[in-house]
Amino acid sequence: MSAVLEVLTRHAFRHADPIRANEAIEEARLEVEDRTGQPAFSYELFVPTANVDAYFLSHALPKLVNFLHCRGFKSANTPGVFVSLFTPAGLVFIEAGAVVEALATLRHLSIDEAWRRYGDGGTGDPKLLGL
């Protein structure tokens, strides 16, 4: 298992068999709504077959932060939003804020820096020299 995937799955609040993904996502949505009192929705992520760590740190993190920012979230406090992560071992459910915090930490970014870079209209990653 990749180092990033290992960190993410430690934050799971629920696991399910992917064969019953639709039902499991609905059950997770209801659980999150009951716990947070907020309308809940899922952000689906799939583990790629290659370059797993690079994918999550360079592609999934910016897209997730931008998605959350466009929905009005300004920090890793994202009540009602959870990630449905399809892994080789099964379907894992993680609070979206926990995913952002874990991935930002692995990128050596603060949460504020992640929002500044990847939020709607953000600066993106710094350009590499010579490119």
Side-chain angles (χ1 to χ4, degrees), residues 40-93:
F41 55 96
S42 169
Y43 181 90
E44 287 82 24
L45 278 174
F46 296 83
V47 175
T49 56
N51 303 317
V52 174
D53 292 353
Y55 168 77
F56 279 104
L57 298 176
S58 298
H59 300 288
L61 174 62
K63 288 182 180 187
L64 177 58
V65 169
N66 187 266
F67 170 82
L68 293 168
H69 187 263
C70 288
R71 275 144 189 83
F73 295 103
K74 306 289 187 217
S75 71
N77 182 19
T78 58
V81 185
F82 62 96
V83 171
S84 299
L85 179 61
F86 290 82
T87 76
L91 181 55
V92 179
F93 299 100

Side-chain angles (χ1 to χ4, degrees), residues 13-14 22 24-44 67-68 71 73 78-84 93-96:
F13 66 85
R14 178 185 271 257
N22 289 338
I25 290 170
E26 179 63 12
E27 290 168 359
R29 188 187 65 73
L30 293 172
E31 179 183 329
V32 170
E33 282 185 359
D34 284 345
R35 188 173 57 244
T36 65
Q38 300 290 322
F41 55 96
S42 169
Y43 181 90
E44 287 82 24
F67 170 82
L68 293 168
R71 275 144 189 83
F73 295 103
T78 58
V81 185
F82 62 96
V83 171
S84 299
F93 299 100
I94 312 163
E95 299 292 339

